[in-house]
Amino acid sequence: MTTEQLFENIKRKGSYLCVGLDTDIRKIPRYLLDATDPVFAFNKEIIDATADVAVAYKPNLAFYEMLGVQGWSSLEKTVNYIRHNHPDIFIIADAKRGDIGNTASMYARAFFDHLDFDAVTVAPYMGEDSVKPFLMYLDRWVILLALTSNKGAFDFQFMEDKETGERLFEKVLKSSSQWGTNENMMYVVGATKAEELAGIRQIIPNHFLLVPGVGAQGGSLAEVAKYGMNEQCGLLVNSSRGIIYASDGEDFAEKARENALKVAGEMKETLKLHKLI
């Protein structure tokens, strides 16, 4: 999926919602535990309830890996289900991988050749050679961690170069933007750091940003849109817990849809405000 195709989907749906499939088997409705594959059964219902307003889904690999082989099977079924039933959806592996080149190549093969994701989140700490193997796939995307939404972001990401005043996350943005293009690289920028988005847009004006932290983490969608939108929207705003765990009863999919529609409605208003639809 190209930048233009992603933007066209955003305009068509009036939404830039990414639904995070952080499916915790301990939190799904108990009646689903009788299903052959409870995690997939839960994901399927969530997907079907929200696919008309979501432009992306983002399974967080930790929730699948902790279940071992069964978890990987659930993940594969989820990706295949989206591919065959909602082919316009962008699928992100929230894996946060980061390792030396030959290991990164294996991760790239796992997520792009075997599991057929559109994108994978990658940690840039080990540098260009740890990211390049993912960029070798010309029709896929790398989503680099730049400025995260957690409190620990202040431990390292805001460290300043004493000579230039440049902060570490800004260095990451400037250096890594030379590794790929706005057609194969996105960045993670947390909604809880929305005040930094204007400056980030000065560094990477044309790249898409994957923005977690709206909803349960307290980030403001209005501020993200105000400071982070570009001429092609340039945003995928993720909501996980606020949508998928809207209810723990048999109405979980219905309640998930209600919350997704609410967020998508707010997104539509911001798209109108910026004259993108």
Side-chain angles (χ1 to χ4, degrees):
M1 188 177 292
T2 66
T3 297
E4 186 60 38
Q5 289 171 327
L6 189 53
F7 181 42
E8 286 301 319
N9 210 23
I10 289 169
K11 289 193 293 183
R12 181 171 61 85
K13 293 188 175 184
S15 166
Y16 42 97
L17 174 63
C18 173
V19 176
L21 297 174
D22 300 5
T23 307
D24 187 341
I25 197 166
R26 300 167 300 180
K27 293 182 179 179
I28 66 176
R30 294 191 62 82
Y31 80 93
L32 288 177
L33 298 178
D34 294 330
T36 303
D37 188 336
V39 169
F40 174 65
F42 178 84
N43 285 353
K44 179 179 178 296
E45 294 296 320
I46 293 291
I47 291 163
D48 287 343
T50 60
D52 60 326
V53 293
V55 295
Y57 288 107
K58 183 177 69 65
N60 185 317
L61 270 290
F63 293 89
Y64 302 85
E65 290 173 337
M66 62 87 67
L67 295 172
V69 173
Q70 181 58 52
W72 278 96
S73 176
S74 301
L75 178 64
E76 188 170 20
K77 288 178 188 176
T78 298
V79 173
N80 289 340
Y81 185 79
I82 298 168
R83 277 276 174 260
H84 290 103
N85 294 278
H86 305 285
D88 63 327
I89 298 286
F90 190 75
I91 314 174
I92 301 166
D94 191 1
K96 301 179 182 71
R97 297 304 195 248
D99 213 323
I100 60 174
N102 63 331
T103 307
S105 295
M106 296 300 105
Y107 283 136
R109 289 177 63 183
F111 294 118
F112 295 152
D113 287 338
H114 179 66
L115 288 170
D116 198 23
F117 280 96
D118 291 299
V120 59
T121 56
V122 176
Y125 183 79
M126 292 185 70
E128 182 178 6
D129 63 321
S130 69
V131 176
K132 279 291 187 181
F134 297 96
L135 294 170
M136 297 299 290
Y137 288 78
L138 300 180
D139 58 342
R140 307 294 168 129
W141 293 77
V142 171
I143 307 179
L144 280 189
L145 303 180
L147 185 58
T148 57
S149 57
N150 61 310
K151 292 180 181 179
F154 292 99
D155 290 343
F156 301 115
Q157 294 169 35
F158 284 85
M159 292 176 67
E160 289 190 16
D161 184 307
K162 292 182 179 180
E163 294 184 2
T164 66
E166 186 175 68
R167 293 170 292 181
L168 181 57
F169 78 86
E170 294 168 329
K171 176 67 173 177
V172 168
L173 290 167
K174 290 176 182 177
S175 297
S176 64
S177 64
Q178 305 303 309
W179 304 344
T181 72
N182 62 311
E183 287 289 346
N184 66 359
M185 186 178 288
M186 303 184 187
Y187 290 92
V188 173
V189 177
T192 53
K193 310 292 189 302
E195 69 278 3
E196 299 288 347
L197 281 168
I200 287 170
R201 276 303 186 204
Q202 294 296 313
I203 302 170
I204 48 167
N206 300 316
H207 289 73
F208 261 85
L209 305 178
L210 173 63
V211 184
V214 168
Q217 294 185 56
S220 165
L221 178 61
E223 288 192 0
V224 168
K226 178 180 178 180
Y227 298 113
M229 272 193 178
N230 62 18
E231 293 180 353
Q232 290 188 306
C233 179
L235 296 172
L236 295 175
V237 172
N238 182 78
S239 179
S240 300
R241 287 169 286 173
I243 290 177
I244 69 173
Y245 298 132
S247 169
D248 61 0
E250 294 190 16
D251 63 346
F252 75 94
E254 178 185 342
K255 294 301 183 182
R257 177 169 179 77
E258 288 178 9
N259 283 13
L261 285 170
K262 180 179 178 181
V263 176
E266 295 173 9
M267 290 178 171
K268 190 170 187 177
E269 291 305 311
T270 64
L271 288 166
K272 288 179 178 178
L273 184 64
H274 288 78
K275 297 180 171 56
L276 295 176
I277 59 173

